[in-house]
Amino acid sequence: MYSIIQRYFPNLSERQAGQFRQIGHLYKEWNDKINVVSRKDIDNLYEHHVLHSLSIAKFMTPADGSRFLDMGTGGGFPGIPLAILWPECRFHLIDRIGKKINVARSIAEAIGLENVTFQHGDIGECRDKYDFVVSRAVMTLDKLVPLIRKNISQKDNNRLPNGLLCLKGGELDEEINATGLPVIDVPLSDYFSEEFFATKHLIYVEL
């Protein structure tokens, strides 16, 4: 239900609230054709996918003009919810599965989201620089960090230094240690009371 978004983000503009409402219907329609979200989970879209994506906004607030790369976006998570929330920032969404990136593009067009671009391809094909890379359970941190390091800009525009913001679940100590880098690990239960978030984490790596 959209109301869970309103509960945790009560200061949305009318345009933002309308866009968040629209994506619920759009994702359900697309999911009947293409399995973007697990069909068992589509009824939990707002809690398990939209709100989960927006947990990044509980951790940091970017400066206007900040650039984000959503690596392995699938059907548009976390990129599309964050792009709705931060209209003054730019988002580039990339995924190797063409049909999923096409769904994300279609949904963004349908809701009039103008601060997003899309790329069907591998992260190795993306050479642009960004303030932050965001990702949702794409691969282990020790494999992800070397792939996206080249995409991190050396110009810091935010109070939070440029780096990786990754949404993950489960036991992460071994994975974090394998990076060999300083990591901030934030339990999402710090932000949200729903049981789903009890085992979910936001991982920040300065790069």
Side-chain angles (χ1 to χ4, degrees):
M1 295 288 288
Y2 162 74
S3 59
I4 197 171
I5 307 303
Q6 199 168 36
R7 185 193 323 157
Y8 286 107
F9 294 90
N11 298 318
L12 299 173
S13 68
E14 286 187 22
R15 176 176 172 79
Q16 289 170 318
Q19 288 173 320
F20 277 122
R21 287 192 185 95
Q22 279 181 277
I23 65 174
H25 302 298
L26 290 165
Y27 273 109
K28 284 185 178 181
E29 287 175 7
W30 274 107
N31 220 55
D32 288 339
K33 308 169 194 173
I34 297 169
N35 197 23
V36 177
V37 173
S38 166
R39 292 206 164 95
K40 295 179 181 177
D41 205 34
I42 190 65
D43 289 338
N44 298 311
L45 178 80
Y46 279 109
E47 181 180 325
H48 293 182
H49 301 278
V50 180
L51 188 61
H52 190 208
S53 298
L54 293 176
S55 62
I56 291 171
K58 292 294 188 182
F59 178 72
M60 61 92 71
T61 301
D64 288 355
S66 294
R67 300 184 71 217
F68 290 81
L69 170 63
D70 181 358
M71 189 264 191
T73 188
F77 299 105
I80 285 178
L82 290 174
I84 294 172
L85 194 68
W86 293 330
E88 302 305 320
C89 297
R90 301 290 306 175
F91 291 82
H92 185 62
L93 281 56
I94 184 169
D95 200 274
R96 289 187 294 180
I97 301 176
K99 62 183 180 181
K100 289 189 176 182
I101 204 78
N102 287 337
V103 169
R105 182 186 288 110
S106 296
I107 287 173
E109 289 174 355
I111 65 173
L113 201 57
E114 298 174 346
N115 57 334
V116 289
T117 54
F118 300 89
Q119 182 178 348
H120 173 212
D122 188 86
I123 187 63
E125 300 168 43
C126 181
R127 295 286 171 181
D128 289 344
K129 301 287 186 181
Y130 301 86
D131 298 295
F132 297 97
V133 173
V134 294
S135 182
R136 206 169 72 119
V138 170
M139 62 180 68
T140 59
L141 287 169
D142 57 313
K143 293 179 181 176
L144 180 57
V145 167
L147 287 177
I148 56 92
R149 192 186 286 275
K150 71 181 187 313
N151 299 107
I152 300 294
S153 170
Q154 297 308 301
K155 295 179 180 180
D156 284 321
N157 300 310
N158 290 273
R159 284 181 292 178
L160 184 71
N162 294 357
L164 170 68
L165 295 157
C166 195
L167 298 174
K168 287 185 159 291
E171 178 53 54
L172 299 172
D173 288 347
E174 185 176 336
E175 186 176 328
I176 288 170
N177 292 337
T179 68
L181 296 168
V183 168
I184 296 176
D185 177 1
V186 182
L188 294 191
S189 56
D190 287 359
Y191 304 138
F192 307 127
S193 61
E194 286 73 20
E195 186 178 350
F196 172 76
F197 296 103
T199 59
K200 300 293 187 289
H201 298 254
L202 184 151
I203 303 296
Y204 164 68
V205 186
E206 181 180 345
L207 295 172

